[in-house]
Amino acid sequence: MPDDTQSFLIKNDRVVDADAWLFLDKEASSYPPTGAVVVPLSLWLDHRVDLLQREQCAVWLDSEQEPEPLRQDLDTLSMVAINFPVFSDGRGYSYARRLRQLGFLGEVRAIGDVLPDQLHYMSRCGFDAFELRGDKSVESALAQKSSISVTYQAGQDQPKPLFARRQP
Amino acid sequence: MYVYDNYDHTLVSERVEQFRDQTQRYLAGEISESEFLPLRLQNGLYVQRLAPMLRIAIPYGMLSSTQLHKLADISSKYDKGYGHFSTRQNMQLNWPRLEEVPDILAELATVEMHAIQTSGNCIRNTTTDQFAGIAADELEDPRPYCELIRQWSTLHPEFAYLPRKFKIAVCASEQDRAAVHVHDIGLRLKHNDAGDTGFEVLVGGGLGRTPVIGPTLCDFLPRKHLLAYLDSILRVYNQLGRRDNKYKARIKILVRALGVDTFREKVEREFDLLKDGNMTVPDSEFERMKRFFSLPDYAEIDANEASGLLRQQASEDKAFANWLKRNTHPHKQAGYAAVTLSLKPTGIAPGDATDKQMHAVADLAEQFSFGELRVSHEQNLILADVRQTDLFEVWQAARAIGMATPNIGLMTDMICCPGGDFCSLANAKSIPIAELIQRRFDDLDYLHDIGELDLNISGCMNACGHHHVGHIGILGVDKKGKEFYQVQLGGNSDLDASLGNVLGPSFSQEQLPDVIETIIDTYVNLRSDEELFIDTYRRVGLAPFKERVYA
Ligand code: SF4
């Protein structure tokens, strides 16, 4: 779960104001009756039917929580946030990729230990919002995000692998 | 050989600049030590006991003369004038300066080389048979597939933060010279009854603390699905591999914990999602890749005449005859041979080459072997396409640079990790052990009489020297703060792979040469006519060796 220390929210290659989403703790057992909340997976699974009534709903996954249980709700969710407890825990990259391959069109947000040098791979895997750690440089993050222009593999940014695009 | 186009060039150049920026930010204190760690590792920079070490990728062991000249130049300009060829078909510099690494990488980029993903918890350099493309027992040339895998794995966005390092090996011949059974993924090229190309996929093999022969995950994977299937395996591993204990983080532990059948189900769940999608490789791409590895312009050679000449030269010169027997290898093209240039002379760390040697070898390749050469996982250099009629001249040239030791495949052609002299993880030194044994067995006739024997040495359980699959394996262990060595017998890395068995209590450095000699004596006494060491061992087992050694 991200703590409250200042972080920068990056979307569409710029810093945007923190939005109204309220992230609930992983242990939370209840949620406020109104407002935009991002609930942990367990709460979502327990109160899915009720939560689905709300105008907007969102879930966050911790690094050991695969997105599979969300499969049936992907049309409804506005956002899935994926937590990186430490930047070197790479499970979230696969979760994001899998969510996109299952057809999820909402926002996929990286939260937690999100560093400038991770943004390039993250965005290729399907993340489109990044809560950059507050002590890091936004300029570096944006520069790194676009530091490599050639991609051999298909990705969210590029639906075809290079072998299908190569021109002599 | 594969030739970069604009895309490949752009990628490595941008990568160099990316790392230059990262290094500067690290030196300026904007990136912490632990945050910089995976960034530098995935650009080849490892910090060892004495200094940083830069591991340069030599994809599936292929090098051009131009590239080797550049490696020689880099070794003299940025290092102490030599490089170390490793068992992963890479080259390592032992003393580069951190600040200069981006410049080294930029120089490498000018000759289509890089150090991407040669360290760190990511997909590493793919390895294959050093005789790819020239071996008579080969179904197809594996290199086009290796290049396809190289591109797929390079900067793969999903798999840069795996639980642990990940190594893939490919073989396409009857005899497995790529050790596919002891890799995270081993691919054995096959043809099915319809004549289509595909792969047997082995998963979760490995050496290290828990050596495992990899089980079969898929008996025949059509080649068009290769990348989608690799993606599926990696994704299961990335999600479920252990991250709490680095000794349990390799895929072999996951496969063992789940059982191969459950693991397969999980892979197939991912594969269902990816199969027949955009990762499906069209035939046209395989054909394009194959064109890079088309046959060189072989000359028409009268093979009888050539071998007649060789016989005559060999009969006149015993030293040449020995070399011919050990250091040249059959070639599928009549009148040609492959030549191994030995990097295992006595007294030099196995795999080390000086800048002068590298320049000389590059010239030899230019003159005699279409300007290409290979690095073998036994840490030697290979000229793959030499005319038989040129062998005598090549031998003389190789001798002049100290690379004609006629010991290929013999006991003194050992695999040896850097060990305690360089590596901070080591329990014990390994290079001095190699030297002690080489000195004890310096009688060439005796060595030839002993015959083919793989002797592998690792300085610790990480097994970079592949001791588990040496016919004789030596492992450095720590006994109350002292360096000791455990000996194993009966390992093998061919297609009938096996892991060695521990002989018994470990030995001191001083005891080791005697122990090895006793083992060899025991073998020589027990062997029947043509039996190699490994055959005798398999027939008689550990007991007779144990009795003699601990008598
Ligand atoms: S086997 Fe151990 S000592 Fe040898 S290089 Fe590997 S980690 Fe270092």
Side-chain angles (χ1 to χ4, degrees):
Chain A
M1 181 64 199
D3 56 31
D4 293 330
T5 51
Q6 188 66 49
S7 58
F8 302 105
L9 181 59
I10 297 179
K11 286 189 200 185
N12 297 321
D13 289 336
R14 57 195 175 82
V15 178
V16 297
D17 290 339
D19 49 23
W21 287 112
L22 174 69
F23 282 80
L24 299 186
D25 275 356
K26 196 171 182 180
E27 287 74 35
S29 52
S30 62
Y31 43 87
T34 56
V37 290
V38 189
V39 299
L41 182 66
S42 55
L43 204 58
W44 175 261
L45 295 177
D46 289 347
H47 299 275
R48 198 180 145 260
V49 179
D50 181 49
L51 285 162
L52 280 167
Q53 310 293 319
R54 298 165 85 111
E55 203 176 308
Q56 278 195 313
C57 30
V59 179
W60 71 271
L61 301 173
D62 209 347
S63 66
E64 78 289 353
Q65 295 173 322
E66 286 188 79
E68 198 58 24
L70 298 176
R71 209 165 166 157
Q72 55 182 327
D73 301 321
L74 293 181
D75 289 343
T76 329
L77 288 166
S78 306
M79 169 173 79
V80 177
I82 297 173
N83 186 38
F84 289 82
V86 287
F87 76 91
S88 55
D89 181 339
R91 287 175 278 192
Y93 293 84
S94 284
Y95 299 161
R97 193 98 180 88
R98 195 150 211 287
L99 280 171
R100 294 305 188 194
Q101 279 163 351
L102 291 170
F104 182 58
L105 296 173
E107 180 178 309
V108 180
R109 184 181 297 190
I111 59 175
D113 196 14
V114 179
L115 304 174
D117 298 283
Q118 267 67 52
L119 260 57
H120 175 61
Y121 285 163
M122 281 180 172
S123 61
R124 297 213 59 220
C125 286
F127 287 98
D128 52 2
F130 312 87
E131 271 189 15
L132 183 72
R133 229 171 69 186
D135 59 336
K136 294 295 172 188
S137 146
V138 173
E139 292 73 41
S140 296
L142 293 177
Q144 279 293 326
K145 183 163 173 285
S146 57
S147 53
I148 310 270
S149 65
V150 176
T151 55
Y152 285 124
Q153 313 76 8
Q156 193 58 24
D157 52 339
Q158 179 48 263
K160 288 179 179 172
L162 185 59
F163 63 70
R165 289 179 269 134
R166 248 186 222 274
Q167 276 154 23
Chain B
M1 224 173 126
Y2 184 71
V3 179
Y4 279 17
D5 65 8
N6 271 338
Y7 294 104
D8 307 295
H9 274 296
T10 307
L11 184 141
V12 293
S13 309
E14 290 179 346
R15 177 70 164 186
V16 172
E17 291 319 307
Q18 181 190 51
F19 187 58
R20 197 184 293 283
D21 173 62
Q22 288 166 340
T23 305
Q24 274 157 9
R25 285 189 288 131
Y26 164 70
L27 292 171
E30 285 174 45
I31 301 182
S32 73
E33 193 73 47
S34 66
E35 291 162 8
F36 188 54
L37 179 77
L39 305 178
R40 68 167 162 75
L41 288 177
Q42 300 202 14
N43 285 288
L45 185 61
Y46 190 93
V47 176
Q48 305 197 101
R49 177 167 286 179
L50 302 170
M53 178 269 277
L54 182 67
R55 187 181 287 144
I56 296 165
I58 301 177
Y60 39 93
M62 290 295 297
L63 268 180
S64 69
S65 290
T66 314
Q67 291 173 329
L68 187 56
H69 278 305
K70 177 58 89 178
L71 291 178
D73 289 340
I74 288 175
S75 325
S76 47
K77 185 166 165 193
Y78 298 96
D79 208 307
K80 296 188 176 175
Y82 69 95
H84 173 77
F85 290 92
S86 79
T87 58
R88 292 279 309 156
Q89 299 182 314
N90 294 313
M91 195 190 89
Q92 297 175 182
L93 294 175
N94 281 320
W95 320 89
R97 293 180 51 228
L98 169 70
E99 299 76 10
E100 291 183 340
V101 169
D103 296 332
I104 300 176
L105 298 178
E107 292 216 26
L108 288 173
T110 63
V111 293
E112 311 189 356
M113 294 187 82
H114 59 73
I116 295 170
Q117 290 168 215
T118 55
S119 286
N121 296 334
C122 53
I123 307 170
R124 303 287 190 84
N125 185 18
T126 298
T127 49
T128 191
D129 184 354
Q130 68 260 28
F131 296 126
I134 59 164
D137 66 342
E138 157 177 296
L139 284 171
E140 280 183 37
D141 189 340
R143 291 171 301 172
Y145 302 98
C146 293
E147 177 58 26
L148 195 73
I149 295 169
R150 184 190 76 81
Q151 298 193 10
W152 160 80
S153 60
T154 298
L155 309 192
H156 196 304
E158 190 176 337
F159 305 128
Y161 295 95
L162 294 171
R164 212 55 184 94
K165 59 189 170 186
F166 202 92
K167 301 177 180 178
I168 302 176
V170 186
C171 90
S173 54
E174 248 146 64
Q175 203 198 342
D176 174 17
R177 286 173 292 264
V180 293
H181 283 93
V182 291
H183 279 78
D184 296 296
I185 293 179
L187 297 168
R188 269 190 80 191
L189 189 134
K190 275 176 129 180
H191 291 159
N192 67 6
D193 293 341
D196 301 327
T197 302
F199 295 91
E200 179 187 358
V201 183
L202 308 165
V203 71
L207 299 172
R209 262 163 213 259
T210 327
V212 186
I213 302 283
T216 300
L217 190 61
C218 173
D219 200 48
F220 185 84
L221 176 75
R223 66 177 188 176
K224 66 176 176 183
H225 295 314
L226 179 61
L227 300 185
Y229 200 76
L230 291 177
D231 238 56
S232 306
I233 297 174
L234 263 299
R235 185 176 290 174
V236 171
Y237 171 56
N238 190 35
Q239 295 182 117
L240 299 178
R242 285 183 64 170
R243 290 171 185 271
D244 57 334
N245 179 342
K246 81 175 225 192
Y247 298 114
K248 302 216 157 116
R250 294 293 286 267
I251 194 174
K252 63 188 170 188
I253 305 288
L254 176 65
V255 172
R256 187 179 267 190
L258 293 175
V260 70
D261 294 323
T262 308
F263 183 79
R264 184 182 300 113
E265 276 166 33
K266 293 189 182 293
V267 169
E268 269 159 19
R269 194 190 72 164
E270 300 295 341
F271 187 50
D272 281 343
L273 209 58
L274 304 177
K275 192 181 175 183
D276 296 318
N278 57 17
M279 259 185 281
T280 311
V281 185
D283 283 346
S284 58
E285 177 66 3
F286 290 114
E287 293 313 314
R288 194 181 76 86
M289 284 299 178
K290 279 186 184 176
R291 283 198 288 277
F292 291 109
F293 302 93
S294 57
L295 293 180
D297 209 355
Y298 290 124
E300 291 270 348
I301 291 175
D302 184 331
N304 284 332
E305 213 170 282
S307 53
L309 174 69
L310 279 182
R311 263 197 305 277
Q312 191 203 332
Q313 290 166 329
S315 69
E316 287 163 4
D317 194 326
K318 174 109 190 300
F320 178 63
N322 277 340
W323 181 82
L324 201 60
K325 185 164 156 208
R326 294 306 337 167
N327 296 35
T328 67
H329 315 275
H331 199 291
K332 68 182 179 194
Q333 180 72 19
Y336 278 79
V339 168
T340 298
L341 300 169
S342 171
L343 290 177
K344 317 285 179 66
T346 301
I348 304 285
D352 276 6
T354 65
D355 52 345
K356 286 192 190 64
Q357 285 177 319
M358 287 189 250
H359 281 306
V361 172
D363 288 338
L364 280 180
E366 193 66 56
Q367 194 182 347
F368 294 106
S369 194
F370 300 98
E372 288 182 8
L373 57 140
R374 293 122 187 261
V375 182
S376 73
H377 85 272
E378 288 96 357
Q379 305 175 276
N380 292 310
L381 298 177
I382 290 169
L383 302 176
D385 302 286
V386 180
R387 293 179 196 204
Q388 286 182 329
T389 46
D390 289 336
L391 287 173
F392 194 79
E393 210 180 328
V394 170
W395 170 64
Q396 288 178 314
R399 212 155 60 146
I401 51 172
M403 294 180 74
T405 314
N407 63 348
I408 304 310
L410 300 180
M411 193 165 85
T412 54
D413 178 21
M414 42 190 104
I415 294 181
C416 177
C417 80
D421 293 301
F422 294 101
C423 172
S424 53
L425 303 172
N427 288 324
K429 294 193 174 65
S430 51
I431 294 169
I433 297 301
E435 190 174 339
L436 281 174
I437 296 171
Q438 281 169 332
R439 289 204 189 285
R440 178 63 62 98
F441 291 88
D442 64 351
D443 178 346
L444 261 178
D445 289 328
Y446 188 45
L447 262 185
H448 282 261
D449 178 53
I450 296 167
E452 280 170 31
L453 197 160
D454 295 344
L455 191 149
N456 297 356
I457 309 172
S458 303
C460 79
M461 288 215 263
N462 289 314
C464 304
H466 302 181
H467 64 278
H468 301 292
V469 290
H471 301 152
I472 298 178
I474 298 177
L475 165 68
V477 292
D478 175 287
K479 226 172 160 178
K480 302 201 185 88
K482 289 224 172 67
E483 299 192 359
F484 270 74
Y485 298 88
Q486 188 190 73
V487 173
Q488 308 187 351
L489 300 182
N492 190 23
S493 63
D494 286 342
L495 273 187
D496 57 342
S498 55
L499 302 169
N501 295 307
V502 178
L503 187 62
S506 51
F507 309 100
S508 69
Q509 179 165 332
E510 295 71 41
Q511 291 171 307
L512 211 49
D514 289 336
V515 169
I516 301 298
E517 195 166 354
T518 308
I519 291 170
I520 297 300
D521 285 347
T522 311
Y523 152 66
V524 170
N525 287 332
L526 290 172
R527 73 177 165 188
S528 58
D529 317 335
E530 294 284 289
E531 245 179 7
L532 296 177
F533 179 86
I534 184 70
D535 304 325
T536 303
Y537 176 84
R538 284 183 173 173
R539 183 168 54 80
V540 305
L542 199 61
F545 293 97
K546 205 168 176 156
E547 256 164 49
R548 286 281 308 275
V549 170
Y550 295 101

